[in-house]
Amino acid sequence: MKIQSLRGMPDLFPEDLERWHIFESKLANIFHSFDTHEIRTPLLESTELFSRSVGNSSDIVNKELYSFLDRNEESISLRPEGSASVIRAVIQKKQEQEKHKLWYQGPMFRYERPQKGRFRQFHQVGVEYLGFEEGIAEYELISMVLQINKLIGISDYTIKINHLGDRDAKELFCDSLVTFLKPHINELDEKDQARLKSNPLRVLDSKEKSTQELLKEGPKFQDFISDDSKIFLQNLVDAYSNQCDIQIDQSLVRGLDYYTGIVFETVSQNLGAQDALLGGGRYDNLSRQLGGKDMHAIGFAIGVERIIELLNIEKIKQPLKVGFIIAGEQIDKKTYKIADDLRSANNSIILDSFLSEGSLKSQLRRANKNNCSYAIIIGEEELKNDQVIWKDLSEGGGQELLTSKEVIDKYTNL
Ligand code: AMP
């Protein structure tokens, strides 16, 4: 019997990862321009970190957490998301009172039912701005979302946004929702009945049509948040409404318990049922919840598998590729040296070597198939004279004889 990978935990081969690398390099530039720096935290954490942050009543902790007892009988879990670990790390370093602009990336684990766009091991890139109160940070993160979508060529998307108020407003709304829904409990399906008991705000996320109809008559978040919060939300929407489709969605609460203030989600019209590309919001209470000092915090996380699905590869400039062809049998120190010199002269170009099997013609065919723009051909005669052939592979392109120094110059300035 052959051993299979675990369900919902796919392998990623070089042909899959090409898109990932483009995405990652674009993203690195954006983070750099926002002066946002990478943090890496462990994949395994104590289970308590997630029960205290994400919340015991959330689906993530209830049903989806990969938890184990380690050899010391301590309960540890594979991280289902990144924010809790980042906050834990900052508290542990006693840096709650400093300002941080951080990003992270890596695998997350949730025991969900796998389907298209939903995995048990998936990847997120997340951003956390710590130490910034409500204000410019919200604007900056929405700007970042817009830039990311633009850079990778996504245009059909909607940003849904809501303001959950502060913790008191959220609690008052929650109480009012429970009071409203209780007399109607028998009209709810089993799932929503369970949500009403464990995490009433999640009923707002219900996919049931009848529940959504019922909720139309129910309390509205807007009636519980302060005027300042309402104005802030409206200003934020107005600031971006001429650049993207951004809409207030009063039923947007997000699954995790720790959010207060602004929450947002981006959905794409081109993804099918699992249409959420990214989600985030403000969580000023999380540091306290985890035993740290007060710390303002806002962030978002992108689902990498989903955003990569939409990456418009045609719109993105591909790195230049040059075929390195050795004609004949003269694979020796000298030919390797030319390849080494070329790579050190300009490592932004892909030098496609290992083409040296078969006739010159078949190697050229392979260089064309691999999308090489040029080929450097080293023949026996040329090598003796310290020369190479430079061939333009575009239609009607010519070729010329260059010395090894000339070819390096040309390659450097491509
Ligand atoms: P969340 O932490 O649930 O708000 O998720 C943030 C983003 O991660 C979502 O918008 C999705 O793009 C992605 N995501 C969440 N769960 C999964 C999953 N099981 N498989 C793939 N992507 C996911």
Side-chain angles (χ1 to χ4, degrees), residues 60 80-81 110 112 117-124 254-256 258-259 265-266 274-280 301-307:
I60 291 185
E81 56 102 44
R110 295 184 194 172
E112 297 189 86
R118 192 159 74 191
F119 308 94
R120 288 182 171 169
Q121 175 176 318
F122 62 100
H123 296 75
Q124 286 185 339
R254 315 248 323 115
L256 317 182
Y258 53 59
Y259 289 107
E265 222 168 72
T266 298
Q274 300 301 317
D275 63 354
L277 267 183
L278 62 89
I302 307 171
V304 180
E305 282 80 359
R306 295 190 194 167
I307 205 160

PDB file of all heavy atoms in Angstrom, residues 60 80-81 110 112 117-124 254-256 258-259 265-266 274-280 301-307, ligand 1:
ATOM      1  N   ILE A  60     -13.724  27.613  15.199  1.00  0.00           N
ATOM      2  CA  ILE A  60     -12.301  27.277  15.064  1.00  0.00           C
ATOM      3  C   ILE A  60     -11.809  26.486  16.268  1.00  0.00           C
ATOM      4  O   ILE A  60     -11.108  25.487  16.129  1.00  0.00           O
ATOM      5  CB  ILE A  60     -11.448  28.558  14.854  1.00  0.00           C
ATOM      6  CG1 ILE A  60     -11.755  29.159  13.487  1.00  0.00           C
ATOM      7  CG2 ILE A  60      -9.975  28.267  15.012  1.00  0.00           C
ATOM      8  CD1 ILE A  60     -10.895  30.339  13.113  1.00  0.00           C
ATOM      9  N   PRO A  80      -4.399  27.779  14.113  1.00  0.00           N
ATOM     10  CA  PRO A  80      -5.454  27.902  13.090  1.00  0.00           C
ATOM     11  C   PRO A  80      -5.435  29.266  12.427  1.00  0.00           C
ATOM     12  O   PRO A  80      -6.103  29.486  11.416  1.00  0.00           O
ATOM     13  CB  PRO A  80      -6.732  27.739  13.914  1.00  0.00           C
ATOM     14  CG  PRO A  80      -6.376  28.274  15.272  1.00  0.00           C
ATOM     15  CD  PRO A  80      -4.912  28.025  15.478  1.00  0.00           C
ATOM     16  N   GLU A  81      -4.684  30.212  12.991  1.00  0.00           N
ATOM     17  CA  GLU A  81      -4.601  31.579  12.457  1.00  0.00           C
ATOM     18  C   GLU A  81      -3.365  32.228  13.073  1.00  0.00           C
ATOM     19  O   GLU A  81      -2.741  31.639  13.961  1.00  0.00           O
ATOM     20  CB  GLU A  81      -5.879  32.359  12.785  1.00  0.00           C
ATOM     21  CG  GLU A  81      -6.238  32.440  14.259  1.00  0.00           C
ATOM     22  CD  GLU A  81      -5.877  33.759  14.869  1.00  0.00           C
ATOM     23  OE1 GLU A  81      -6.137  34.786  14.244  1.00  0.00           O
ATOM     24  OE2 GLU A  81      -5.301  33.781  15.980  1.00  0.00           O
ATOM     25  N   ARG A 110      -6.806  23.848  10.021  1.00  0.00           N
ATOM     26  CA  ARG A 110      -8.172  23.799  10.551  1.00  0.00           C
ATOM     27  C   ARG A 110      -8.822  22.514  10.065  1.00  0.00           C
ATOM     28  O   ARG A 110      -8.775  22.211   8.878  1.00  0.00           O
ATOM     29  CB  ARG A 110      -9.008  24.997  10.072  1.00  0.00           C
ATOM     30  CG  ARG A 110      -8.500  26.320  10.600  1.00  0.00           C
ATOM     31  CD  ARG A 110      -9.402  27.470  10.184  1.00  0.00           C
ATOM     32  NE  ARG A 110      -8.724  28.738  10.408  1.00  0.00           N
ATOM     33  CZ  ARG A 110      -9.181  29.920  10.012  1.00  0.00           C
ATOM     34  NH1 ARG A 110     -10.338  30.000   9.387  1.00  0.00           N
ATOM     35  NH2 ARG A 110      -8.487  31.024  10.251  1.00  0.00           N
ATOM     36  N   GLU A 112     -11.480  21.292   8.819  1.00  0.00           N
ATOM     37  CA  GLU A 112     -12.743  21.599   8.149  1.00  0.00           C
ATOM     38  C   GLU A 112     -12.989  20.538   7.091  1.00  0.00           C
ATOM     39  O   GLU A 112     -12.095  19.791   6.725  1.00  0.00           O
ATOM     40  CB  GLU A 112     -12.646  22.960   7.448  1.00  0.00           C
ATOM     41  CG  GLU A 112     -12.431  24.110   8.393  1.00  0.00           C
ATOM     42  CD  GLU A 112     -12.564  25.454   7.694  1.00  0.00           C
ATOM     43  OE1 GLU A 112     -13.697  25.943   7.579  1.00  0.00           O
ATOM     44  OE2 GLU A 112     -11.547  26.008   7.261  1.00  0.00           O
ATOM     45  N   GLY A 117     -11.118  25.309  -2.661  1.00  0.00           N
ATOM     46  CA  GLY A 117     -10.805  26.553  -1.940  1.00  0.00           C
ATOM     47  C   GLY A 117     -10.783  26.407  -0.437  1.00  0.00           C
ATOM     48  O   GLY A 117     -10.567  27.378   0.281  1.00  0.00           O
ATOM     49  N   ARG A 118     -11.037  25.185   0.077  1.00  0.00           N
ATOM     50  CA  ARG A 118     -10.985  24.992   1.530  1.00  0.00           C
ATOM     51  C   ARG A 118     -10.146  23.771   1.858  1.00  0.00           C
ATOM     52  O   ARG A 118     -10.422  22.674   1.383  1.00  0.00           O
ATOM     53  CB  ARG A 118     -12.392  24.840   2.094  1.00  0.00           C
ATOM     54  CG  ARG A 118     -12.401  24.922   3.609  1.00  0.00           C
ATOM     55  CD  ARG A 118     -13.746  25.266   4.155  1.00  0.00           C
ATOM     56  NE  ARG A 118     -14.630  24.107   4.062  1.00  0.00           N
ATOM     57  CZ  ARG A 118     -15.943  24.169   4.278  1.00  0.00           C
ATOM     58  NH1 ARG A 118     -16.509  25.316   4.565  1.00  0.00           N
ATOM     59  NH2 ARG A 118     -16.665  23.088   4.191  1.00  0.00           N
ATOM     60  N   PHE A 119      -9.117  23.973   2.641  1.00  0.00           N
ATOM     61  CA  PHE A 119      -8.160  22.906   2.946  1.00  0.00           C
ATOM     62  C   PHE A 119      -8.001  22.769   4.449  1.00  0.00           C
ATOM     63  O   PHE A 119      -8.442  23.635   5.200  1.00  0.00           O
ATOM     64  CB  PHE A 119      -6.787  23.243   2.323  1.00  0.00           C
ATOM     65  CG  PHE A 119      -6.876  23.573   0.866  1.00  0.00           C
ATOM     66  CD1 PHE A 119      -6.989  24.893   0.452  1.00  0.00           C
ATOM     67  CD2 PHE A 119      -6.889  22.578  -0.093  1.00  0.00           C
ATOM     68  CE1 PHE A 119      -7.106  25.211  -0.890  1.00  0.00           C
ATOM     69  CE2 PHE A 119      -7.003  22.876  -1.436  1.00  0.00           C
ATOM     70  CZ  PHE A 119      -7.113  24.200  -1.833  1.00  0.00           C
ATOM     71  N   ARG A 120      -7.339  21.677   4.842  1.00  0.00           N
ATOM     72  CA  ARG A 120      -7.058  21.532   6.279  1.00  0.00           C
ATOM     73  C   ARG A 120      -5.703  22.136   6.620  1.00  0.00           C
ATOM     74  O   ARG A 120      -5.489  22.614   7.714  1.00  0.00           O
ATOM     75  CB  ARG A 120      -7.124  20.060   6.657  1.00  0.00           C
ATOM     76  CG  ARG A 120      -8.566  19.593   6.629  1.00  0.00           C
ATOM     77  CD  ARG A 120      -8.723  18.163   7.035  1.00  0.00           C
ATOM     78  NE  ARG A 120     -10.137  17.859   7.193  1.00  0.00           N
ATOM     79  CZ  ARG A 120     -10.624  16.646   7.344  1.00  0.00           C
ATOM     80  NH1 ARG A 120      -9.793  15.608   7.383  1.00  0.00           N
ATOM     81  NH2 ARG A 120     -11.908  16.462   7.474  1.00  0.00           N
ATOM     82  N   GLN A 121      -4.772  22.059   5.669  1.00  0.00           N
ATOM     83  CA  GLN A 121      -3.568  22.893   5.795  1.00  0.00           C
ATOM     84  C   GLN A 121      -3.642  23.910   4.665  1.00  0.00           C
ATOM     85  O   GLN A 121      -3.685  23.550   3.493  1.00  0.00           O
ATOM     86  CB  GLN A 121      -2.280  22.091   5.654  1.00  0.00           C
ATOM     87  CG  GLN A 121      -1.072  23.040   5.676  1.00  0.00           C
ATOM     88  CD  GLN A 121       0.284  22.352   5.650  1.00  0.00           C
ATOM     89  OE1 GLN A 121       0.488  21.356   6.318  1.00  0.00           O
ATOM     90  NE2 GLN A 121       1.197  22.895   4.888  1.00  0.00           N
ATOM     91  N   PHE A 122      -3.725  25.184   5.027  1.00  0.00           N
ATOM     92  CA  PHE A 122      -3.748  26.237   4.014  1.00  0.00           C
ATOM     93  C   PHE A 122      -2.775  27.309   4.459  1.00  0.00           C
ATOM     94  O   PHE A 122      -2.180  27.207   5.533  1.00  0.00           O
ATOM     95  CB  PHE A 122      -5.174  26.790   3.839  1.00  0.00           C
ATOM     96  CG  PHE A 122      -5.733  27.430   5.076  1.00  0.00           C
ATOM     97  CD1 PHE A 122      -5.739  28.802   5.231  1.00  0.00           C
ATOM     98  CD2 PHE A 122      -6.235  26.642   6.108  1.00  0.00           C
ATOM     99  CE1 PHE A 122      -6.243  29.391   6.387  1.00  0.00           C
ATOM    100  CE2 PHE A 122      -6.741  27.226   7.274  1.00  0.00           C
ATOM    101  CZ  PHE A 122      -6.742  28.592   7.409  1.00  0.00           C
ATOM    102  N   HIS A 123      -2.604  28.317   3.638  1.00  0.00           N
ATOM    103  CA  HIS A 123      -1.586  29.321   3.957  1.00  0.00           C
ATOM    104  C   HIS A 123      -2.210  30.705   4.066  1.00  0.00           C
ATOM    105  O   HIS A 123      -3.109  31.040   3.291  1.00  0.00           O
ATOM    106  CB  HIS A 123      -0.492  29.329   2.890  1.00  0.00           C
ATOM    107  CG  HIS A 123       0.256  28.037   2.835  1.00  0.00           C
ATOM    108  ND1 HIS A 123      -0.282  26.899   2.268  1.00  0.00           N
ATOM    109  CD2 HIS A 123       1.479  27.694   3.314  1.00  0.00           C
ATOM    110  CE1 HIS A 123       0.584  25.905   2.405  1.00  0.00           C
ATOM    111  NE2 HIS A 123       1.665  26.359   3.028  1.00  0.00           N
ATOM    112  N   GLN A 124      -1.707  31.458   4.996  1.00  0.00           N
ATOM    113  CA  GLN A 124      -2.146  32.855   5.099  1.00  0.00           C
ATOM    114  C   GLN A 124      -0.934  33.776   5.097  1.00  0.00           C
ATOM    115  O   GLN A 124       0.145  33.416   5.585  1.00  0.00           O
ATOM    116  CB  GLN A 124      -2.899  33.090   6.415  1.00  0.00           C
ATOM    117  CG  GLN A 124      -4.294  32.498   6.434  1.00  0.00           C
ATOM    118  CD  GLN A 124      -5.069  32.857   7.695  1.00  0.00           C
ATOM    119  OE1 GLN A 124      -4.482  33.215   8.717  1.00  0.00           O
ATOM    120  NE2 GLN A 124      -6.383  32.758   7.626  1.00  0.00           N
ATOM    121  N   ARG A 254     -17.673  38.461  11.543  1.00  0.00           N
ATOM    122  CA  ARG A 254     -16.453  37.648  11.530  1.00  0.00           C
ATOM    123  C   ARG A 254     -16.504  36.614  12.649  1.00  0.00           C
ATOM    124  O   ARG A 254     -17.077  36.832  13.698  1.00  0.00           O
ATOM    125  CB  ARG A 254     -15.196  38.496  11.625  1.00  0.00           C
ATOM    126  CG  ARG A 254     -15.222  39.698  10.712  1.00  0.00           C
ATOM    127  CD  ARG A 254     -14.247  39.676   9.566  1.00  0.00           C
ATOM    128  NE  ARG A 254     -12.987  39.104   9.875  1.00  0.00           N
ATOM    129  CZ  ARG A 254     -12.533  37.979   9.327  1.00  0.00           C
ATOM    130  NH1 ARG A 254     -13.232  37.358   8.424  1.00  0.00           N
ATOM    131  NH2 ARG A 254     -11.365  37.495   9.664  1.00  0.00           N
ATOM    132  N   GLY A 255     -15.904  35.458  12.365  1.00  0.00           N
ATOM    133  CA  GLY A 255     -16.061  34.295  13.237  1.00  0.00           C
ATOM    134  C   GLY A 255     -15.384  34.374  14.598  1.00  0.00           C
ATOM    135  O   GLY A 255     -15.796  33.717  15.531  1.00  0.00           O
ATOM    136  N   LEU A 256     -14.366  35.178  14.718  1.00  0.00           N
ATOM    137  CA  LEU A 256     -13.586  35.125  15.951  1.00  0.00           C
ATOM    138  C   LEU A 256     -14.147  36.092  16.989  1.00  0.00           C
ATOM    139  O   LEU A 256     -14.673  37.142  16.651  1.00  0.00           O
ATOM    140  CB  LEU A 256     -12.121  35.477  15.668  1.00  0.00           C
ATOM    141  CG  LEU A 256     -11.532  34.838  14.416  1.00  0.00           C
ATOM    142  CD1 LEU A 256     -10.080  35.204  14.271  1.00  0.00           C
ATOM    143  CD2 LEU A 256     -11.690  33.327  14.454  1.00  0.00           C
ATOM    144  N   TYR A 258     -12.613  37.952  19.132  1.00  0.00           N
ATOM    145  CA  TYR A 258     -11.838  39.081  19.652  1.00  0.00           C
ATOM    146  C   TYR A 258     -12.021  40.420  18.948  1.00  0.00           C
ATOM    147  O   TYR A 258     -11.457  41.420  19.367  1.00  0.00           O
ATOM    148  CB  TYR A 258     -10.350  38.731  19.771  1.00  0.00           C
ATOM    149  CG  TYR A 258      -9.649  38.186  18.551  1.00  0.00           C
ATOM    150  CD1 TYR A 258      -9.591  38.904  17.373  1.00  0.00           C
ATOM    151  CD2 TYR A 258      -8.988  36.956  18.616  1.00  0.00           C
ATOM    152  CE1 TYR A 258      -8.908  38.410  16.281  1.00  0.00           C
ATOM    153  CE2 TYR A 258      -8.303  36.455  17.529  1.00  0.00           C
ATOM    154  CZ  TYR A 258      -8.263  37.182  16.359  1.00  0.00           C
ATOM    155  OH  TYR A 258      -7.586  36.702  15.277  1.00  0.00           O
ATOM    156  N   TYR A 259     -12.809  40.476  17.885  1.00  0.00           N
ATOM    157  CA  TYR A 259     -12.923  41.738  17.167  1.00  0.00           C
ATOM    158  C   TYR A 259     -13.807  42.772  17.868  1.00  0.00           C
ATOM    159  O   TYR A 259     -14.849  42.445  18.425  1.00  0.00           O
ATOM    160  CB  TYR A 259     -13.496  41.508  15.762  1.00  0.00           C
ATOM    161  CG  TYR A 259     -12.535  40.816  14.840  1.00  0.00           C
ATOM    162  CD1 TYR A 259     -12.715  39.488  14.485  1.00  0.00           C
ATOM    163  CD2 TYR A 259     -11.439  41.500  14.327  1.00  0.00           C
ATOM    164  CE1 TYR A 259     -11.828  38.841  13.641  1.00  0.00           C
ATOM    165  CE2 TYR A 259     -10.541  40.854  13.480  1.00  0.00           C
ATOM    166  CZ  TYR A 259     -10.739  39.533  13.141  1.00  0.00           C
ATOM    167  OH  TYR A 259      -9.862  38.911  12.317  1.00  0.00           O
ATOM    168  N   GLU A 265     -13.951  42.304   5.140  1.00  0.00           N
ATOM    169  CA  GLU A 265     -13.715  41.062   4.419  1.00  0.00           C
ATOM    170  C   GLU A 265     -13.713  41.401   2.937  1.00  0.00           C
ATOM    171  O   GLU A 265     -14.457  42.297   2.524  1.00  0.00           O
ATOM    172  CB  GLU A 265     -14.890  40.114   4.706  1.00  0.00           C
ATOM    173  CG  GLU A 265     -14.504  38.700   4.941  1.00  0.00           C
ATOM    174  CD  GLU A 265     -15.664  37.875   5.494  1.00  0.00           C
ATOM    175  OE1 GLU A 265     -16.596  37.606   4.718  1.00  0.00           O
ATOM    176  OE2 GLU A 265     -15.630  37.539   6.678  1.00  0.00           O
ATOM    177  N   THR A 266     -12.888  40.738   2.157  1.00  0.00           N
ATOM    178  CA  THR A 266     -12.936  40.949   0.713  1.00  0.00           C
ATOM    179  C   THR A 266     -13.441  39.683   0.062  1.00  0.00           C
ATOM    180  O   THR A 266     -12.919  38.598   0.337  1.00  0.00           O
ATOM    181  CB  THR A 266     -11.528  41.268   0.178  1.00  0.00           C
ATOM    182  OG1 THR A 266     -11.100  42.463   0.787  1.00  0.00           O
ATOM    183  CG2 THR A 266     -11.538  41.483  -1.314  1.00  0.00           C
ATOM    184  N   GLN A 274     -16.474  29.307  -1.858  1.00  0.00           N
ATOM    185  CA  GLN A 274     -15.523  29.841  -0.863  1.00  0.00           C
ATOM    186  C   GLN A 274     -14.963  31.144  -1.410  1.00  0.00           C
ATOM    187  O   GLN A 274     -13.871  31.184  -1.977  1.00  0.00           O
ATOM    188  CB  GLN A 274     -14.407  28.829  -0.594  1.00  0.00           C
ATOM    189  CG  GLN A 274     -14.889  27.500  -0.059  1.00  0.00           C
ATOM    190  CD  GLN A 274     -15.652  27.649   1.245  1.00  0.00           C
ATOM    191  OE1 GLN A 274     -15.242  28.394   2.128  1.00  0.00           O
ATOM    192  NE2 GLN A 274     -16.765  26.963   1.372  1.00  0.00           N
ATOM    193  N   ASP A 275     -15.730  32.226  -1.270  1.00  0.00           N
ATOM    194  CA  ASP A 275     -15.379  33.446  -2.001  1.00  0.00           C
ATOM    195  C   ASP A 275     -14.598  34.473  -1.186  1.00  0.00           C
ATOM    196  O   ASP A 275     -14.244  35.519  -1.707  1.00  0.00           O
ATOM    197  CB  ASP A 275     -16.643  34.082  -2.599  1.00  0.00           C
ATOM    198  CG  ASP A 275     -17.630  34.526  -1.525  1.00  0.00           C
ATOM    199  OD1 ASP A 275     -17.377  34.222  -0.342  1.00  0.00           O
ATOM    200  OD2 ASP A 275     -18.623  35.156  -1.882  1.00  0.00           O
ATOM    201  N   ALA A 276     -14.342  34.179   0.114  1.00  0.00           N
ATOM    202  CA  ALA A 276     -13.629  35.166   0.938  1.00  0.00           C
ATOM    203  C   ALA A 276     -12.130  35.114   0.643  1.00  0.00           C
ATOM    204  O   ALA A 276     -11.496  34.073   0.765  1.00  0.00           O
ATOM    205  CB  ALA A 276     -13.883  34.897   2.410  1.00  0.00           C
ATOM    206  N   LEU A 277     -11.601  36.242   0.218  1.00  0.00           N
ATOM    207  CA  LEU A 277     -10.172  36.318  -0.116  1.00  0.00           C
ATOM    208  C   LEU A 277      -9.342  36.651   1.108  1.00  0.00           C
ATOM    209  O   LEU A 277      -8.235  36.162   1.282  1.00  0.00           O
ATOM    210  CB  LEU A 277      -9.947  37.461  -1.100  1.00  0.00           C
ATOM    211  CG  LEU A 277      -9.968  37.190  -2.575  1.00  0.00           C
ATOM    212  CD1 LEU A 277      -9.641  38.460  -3.317  1.00  0.00           C
ATOM    213  CD2 LEU A 277      -8.942  36.127  -2.909  1.00  0.00           C
ATOM    214  N   LEU A 278      -9.880  37.556   1.902  1.00  0.00           N
ATOM    215  CA  LEU A 278      -9.144  37.976   3.096  1.00  0.00           C
ATOM    216  C   LEU A 278     -10.125  38.546   4.099  1.00  0.00           C
ATOM    217  O   LEU A 278     -11.245  38.923   3.751  1.00  0.00           O
ATOM    218  CB  LEU A 278      -8.080  39.012   2.745  1.00  0.00           C
ATOM    219  CG  LEU A 278      -8.524  40.355   2.154  1.00  0.00           C
ATOM    220  CD1 LEU A 278      -8.810  41.379   3.229  1.00  0.00           C
ATOM    221  CD2 LEU A 278      -7.445  40.892   1.233  1.00  0.00           C
ATOM    222  N   GLY A 279      -9.684  38.605   5.344  1.00  0.00           N
ATOM    223  CA  GLY A 279     -10.565  39.163   6.370  1.00  0.00           C
ATOM    224  C   GLY A 279      -9.735  39.754   7.485  1.00  0.00           C
ATOM    225  O   GLY A 279      -8.593  39.349   7.705  1.00  0.00           O
ATOM    226  N   GLY A 280     -10.324  40.728   8.177  1.00  0.00           N
ATOM    227  CA  GLY A 280      -9.574  41.305   9.276  1.00  0.00           C
ATOM    228  C   GLY A 280     -10.398  42.277  10.073  1.00  0.00           C
ATOM    229  O   GLY A 280     -11.613  42.385   9.882  1.00  0.00           O
ATOM    230  N   ALA A 301      -5.847  38.976   7.332  1.00  0.00           N
ATOM    231  CA  ALA A 301      -5.131  37.803   6.810  1.00  0.00           C
ATOM    232  C   ALA A 301      -5.693  37.428   5.444  1.00  0.00           C
ATOM    233  O   ALA A 301      -6.908  37.392   5.253  1.00  0.00           O
ATOM    234  CB  ALA A 301      -5.272  36.638   7.778  1.00  0.00           C
ATOM    235  N   ILE A 302      -4.782  37.151   4.525  1.00  0.00           N
ATOM    236  CA  ILE A 302      -5.174  36.778   3.163  1.00  0.00           C
ATOM    237  C   ILE A 302      -5.073  35.265   3.036  1.00  0.00           C
ATOM    238  O   ILE A 302      -4.098  34.666   3.501  1.00  0.00           O
ATOM    239  CB  ILE A 302      -4.169  37.371   2.137  1.00  0.00           C
ATOM    240  CG1 ILE A 302      -3.996  38.874   2.345  1.00  0.00           C
ATOM    241  CG2 ILE A 302      -4.589  37.056   0.716  1.00  0.00           C
ATOM    242  CD1 ILE A 302      -2.865  39.455   1.499  1.00  0.00           C
ATOM    243  N   GLY A 303      -6.046  34.637   2.389  1.00  0.00           N
ATOM    244  CA  GLY A 303      -5.953  33.208   2.081  1.00  0.00           C
ATOM    245  C   GLY A 303      -5.126  33.047   0.808  1.00  0.00           C
ATOM    246  O   GLY A 303      -5.564  33.410  -0.269  1.00  0.00           O
ATOM    247  N   VAL A 304      -3.908  32.519   0.966  1.00  0.00           N
ATOM    248  CA  VAL A 304      -2.976  32.506  -0.173  1.00  0.00           C
ATOM    249  C   VAL A 304      -3.486  31.627  -1.317  1.00  0.00           C
ATOM    250  O   VAL A 304      -3.466  32.030  -2.477  1.00  0.00           O
ATOM    251  CB  VAL A 304      -1.560  32.085   0.273  1.00  0.00           C
ATOM    252  CG1 VAL A 304      -0.603  32.078  -0.902  1.00  0.00           C
ATOM    253  CG2 VAL A 304      -1.044  33.023   1.349  1.00  0.00           C
ATOM    254  N   GLU A 305      -3.993  30.423  -0.988  1.00  0.00           N
ATOM    255  CA  GLU A 305      -4.472  29.529  -2.057  1.00  0.00           C
ATOM    256  C   GLU A 305      -5.529  30.237  -2.905  1.00  0.00           C
ATOM    257  O   GLU A 305      -5.583  30.072  -4.116  1.00  0.00           O
ATOM    258  CB  GLU A 305      -5.081  28.243  -1.477  1.00  0.00           C
ATOM    259  CG  GLU A 305      -4.070  27.203  -1.015  1.00  0.00           C
ATOM    260  CD  GLU A 305      -3.485  27.495   0.352  1.00  0.00           C
ATOM    261  OE1 GLU A 305      -3.846  28.534   0.962  1.00  0.00           O
ATOM    262  OE2 GLU A 305      -2.646  26.701   0.829  1.00  0.00           O
ATOM    263  N   ARG A 306      -6.398  31.003  -2.233  1.00  0.00           N
ATOM    264  CA  ARG A 306      -7.499  31.635  -2.976  1.00  0.00           C
ATOM    265  C   ARG A 306      -7.017  32.812  -3.797  1.00  0.00           C
ATOM    266  O   ARG A 306      -7.427  32.989  -4.944  1.00  0.00           O
ATOM    267  CB  ARG A 306      -8.584  32.101  -1.999  1.00  0.00           C
ATOM    268  CG  ARG A 306      -9.197  30.901  -1.310  1.00  0.00           C
ATOM    269  CD  ARG A 306     -10.418  31.287  -0.531  1.00  0.00           C
ATOM    270  NE  ARG A 306     -10.775  30.202   0.379  1.00  0.00           N
ATOM    271  CZ  ARG A 306     -11.638  30.312   1.356  1.00  0.00           C
ATOM    272  NH1 ARG A 306     -12.246  31.461   1.575  1.00  0.00           N
ATOM    273  NH2 ARG A 306     -11.905  29.284   2.128  1.00  0.00           N
ATOM    274  N   ILE A 307      -6.153  33.626  -3.264  1.00  0.00           N
ATOM    275  CA  ILE A 307      -5.719  34.816  -4.009  1.00  0.00           C
ATOM    276  C   ILE A 307      -4.861  34.387  -5.202  1.00  0.00           C
ATOM    277  O   ILE A 307      -4.909  34.977  -6.273  1.00  0.00           O
ATOM    278  CB  ILE A 307      -5.009  35.841  -3.087  1.00  0.00           C
ATOM    279  CG1 ILE A 307      -5.138  37.239  -3.705  1.00  0.00           C
ATOM    280  CG2 ILE A 307      -3.560  35.519  -2.825  1.00  0.00           C
ATOM    281  CD1 ILE A 307      -4.937  38.368  -2.733  1.00  0.00           C
TER     282      ILE A 307
HETATM  283  P1  AMP B   1     -10.147  33.850   8.678  1.00  0.00           P
HETATM  284  O1  AMP B   1      -8.986  33.770   9.596  1.00  0.00           O
HETATM  285  O2  AMP B   1     -11.126  32.728   8.880  1.00  0.00           O
HETATM  286  O3  AMP B   1     -10.771  35.186   8.594  1.00  0.00           O
HETATM  287  O4  AMP B   1      -9.539  33.584   7.222  1.00  0.00           O
HETATM  288  C1  AMP B   1      -8.858  34.556   6.489  1.00  0.00           C
HETATM  289  C2  AMP B   1      -8.743  34.053   5.074  1.00  0.00           C
HETATM  290  O5  AMP B   1      -8.056  32.811   5.060  1.00  0.00           O
HETATM  291  C3  AMP B   1     -10.097  33.756   4.434  1.00  0.00           C
HETATM  292  O6  AMP B   1     -10.627  34.907   3.843  1.00  0.00           O
HETATM  293  C4  AMP B   1      -9.710  32.717   3.391  1.00  0.00           C
HETATM  294  O7  AMP B   1      -9.210  33.344   2.227  1.00  0.00           O
HETATM  295  C5  AMP B   1      -8.588  31.960   4.044  1.00  0.00           C
HETATM  296  N1  AMP B   1      -9.037  30.689   4.640  1.00  0.00           N
HETATM  297  C6  AMP B   1      -9.648  30.490   5.815  1.00  0.00           C
HETATM  298  N2  AMP B   1      -9.878  29.174   6.027  1.00  0.00           N
HETATM  299  C7  AMP B   1      -9.395  28.516   4.955  1.00  0.00           C
HETATM  300  C8  AMP B   1      -9.314  27.135   4.566  1.00  0.00           C
HETATM  301  N3  AMP B   1      -9.765  26.158   5.346  1.00  0.00           N
HETATM  302  N4  AMP B   1      -8.758  26.837   3.363  1.00  0.00           N
HETATM  303  C9  AMP B   1      -8.280  27.806   2.556  1.00  0.00           C
HETATM  304  N5  AMP B   1      -8.308  29.127   2.876  1.00  0.00           N
HETATM  305  C10 AMP B   1      -8.860  29.477   4.061  1.00  0.00           C
END
